[in-house]
Amino acid sequence: MARKAQTEGADSAENAGRLKQIALTYKMTKRSDPKVGLVVAGVGIITFGVLLAIGFLIGHPVYAGILGFVLAFLAMAIIFGRRAERAAFGQMEGQPGAAAAVLDRVGRGWTTTPAVAMNRSQDVVHRAVGKAGIVLVAEGNPNRVKSLLAAEKKRMARIVVDVPVHDIIVGDGEGQVPLKKVRTTMLKLPRVLTGPQVTAANDRLRAMGDLMSNMPQPQGPMPKGMRMPRGGKMR
C-alpha cells in the first residue's frame, strides 16, 4: 500500500510538472504570438465539428464524436507545438548562444559541444557530431566567422582525417542558414558514419579538448570589465 501511494504521489507530481510546463510555454508563446489561443482553439473546434458532422451523415455520431475529440486534441497539440517553436526561435534569434540552444534540440544521435572557438568580438563556433559527420555551426559576423571556421577545420584535420566536416553559418544572408532551419538542415545531411565511427570521432575530439574545457575556471564572481585577451581566438 505504501509503495502504491508513493507511485501515485510521483505520478501526480509529474502530471503537475507537465501542466506547469505547458502553462509556462503558453505564456511565453502568447507574448510574441497573441492569437495563439484563438488559433489553437479554432483548430480544435473545427476538427471536432467536421468529424461530428460526418458522424451524423453516416449515422454514427457517437463514434465520430469520440474520434473527433481525439483528433481535435491531436491537431491542437501539433499547432500549438509549431507556434511555440516559432515563437521560441523568434525570441532567440539575434541572441548570443542561440545556435547552441538549437543544437541541444537536434535529437538523439548527435553530440554537441558549444563554443569550441571564439574571438574577441564574441563570434563563436559550435560543434555537433553525428552519423552525418562533424557539423560546425557558426554565429556572428559572416566575414569574421569564416576565419574561425577555417582555423577550427585545420585544427580538427590533425585528429579526424577520415570524418566529413560540414559548416553552417547562421543568418539570413546569401549562403547562410536561418536559425529556425539549422536543425532541419543538419537532419537532411547524408548519414555516412556508423555508430562506432561516431563514438571514435567523439573520443578523439574530446581528447583534443575544446574552448570551454581548456579555459581556466575563475573562483568567485567574474570581475567587472573583464575582457577577452589579445591575440584572436581563445584556446
Side-chain angles (χ1 to χ4, degrees):
M1 292 294 291
R3 184 177 299 177
K4 184 178 180 181
Q6 289 178 353
T7 303
E8 290 177 352
D11 291 341
S12 299
E14 186 177 353
N15 291 334
R18 288 177 182 172
L19 291 174
K20 186 177 181 180
Q21 185 177 10
I22 292 173
L24 289 173
T25 303
Y26 176 79
K27 289 179 181 178
M28 179 204 72
T29 305
K30 193 172 178 62
R31 283 199 293 267
S32 56
D33 186 3
K35 295 182 180 180
V36 61
L38 291 175
V39 172
V40 171
V43 168
I45 292 171
I46 291 173
T47 303
F48 178 76
V50 169
L51 267 294
L52 187 61
I54 293 174
F56 277 110
L57 288 175
I58 62 177
H60 295 285
V62 175
Y63 295 119
I66 294 172
L67 180 61
F69 178 80
V70 174
L71 292 180
F73 182 81
L74 180 61
M76 290 169 67
I78 292 173
I79 296 301
F80 175 67
R82 289 180 178 177
R83 296 184 82 97
E85 185 178 42
R86 190 186 309 164
F89 281 130
Q91 292 181 17
M92 287 192 299
E93 203 156 9
Q95 300 295 323
V102 172
L103 290 180
D104 282 340
R105 304 180 183 183
V106 172
R108 296 179 60 184
W110 289 91
T111 301
T112 62
T113 307
V116 294
M118 184 184 294
N119 59 23
R120 293 184 64 201
S121 302
Q122 296 188 0
D123 304 311
V124 63
V125 174
H126 313 289
R127 184 180 68 224
V129 184
K131 290 187 176 181
I134 299 171
V135 181
L136 298 176
V137 180
E139 53 181 335
N141 182 281
N143 295 320
R144 292 194 300 259
V145 295
K146 288 180 181 178
S147 61
L148 271 180
L149 286 169
E152 187 61 23
K153 286 181 181 179
K154 184 178 179 181
R155 191 168 77 104
M156 291 192 310
R158 301 191 298 266
I159 308 295
V160 283
V161 295
D162 54 344
V163 178
V165 179
H166 312 272
D167 58 76
I168 294 174
I169 298 177
V170 179
D172 297 317
E174 185 177 355
Q176 300 173 10
V177 178
L179 183 67
K180 62 184 178 181
K181 293 185 178 181
V182 169
R183 181 178 180 273
T184 54
T185 300
M186 291 176 60
L187 294 178
K188 287 180 181 179
L189 294 172
R191 299 184 177 187
V192 296
L193 300 181
T194 62
Q197 287 176 317
V198 174
T199 301
N202 269 316
D203 290 342
R204 282 180 279 172
L205 289 170
R206 242 182 244 115
M208 181 179 70
D210 56 68
L211 175 65
M212 300 306 291
S213 62
N214 289 335
M215 283 180 63
Q217 297 297 321
Q219 300 296 323
M222 184 173 291
K224 292 183 178 180
M226 182 178 177
R227 294 184 178 182
M228 297 275 290
R230 295 184 180 275
K233 290 184 295 181
M234 294 174 61
R235 296 289 185 207

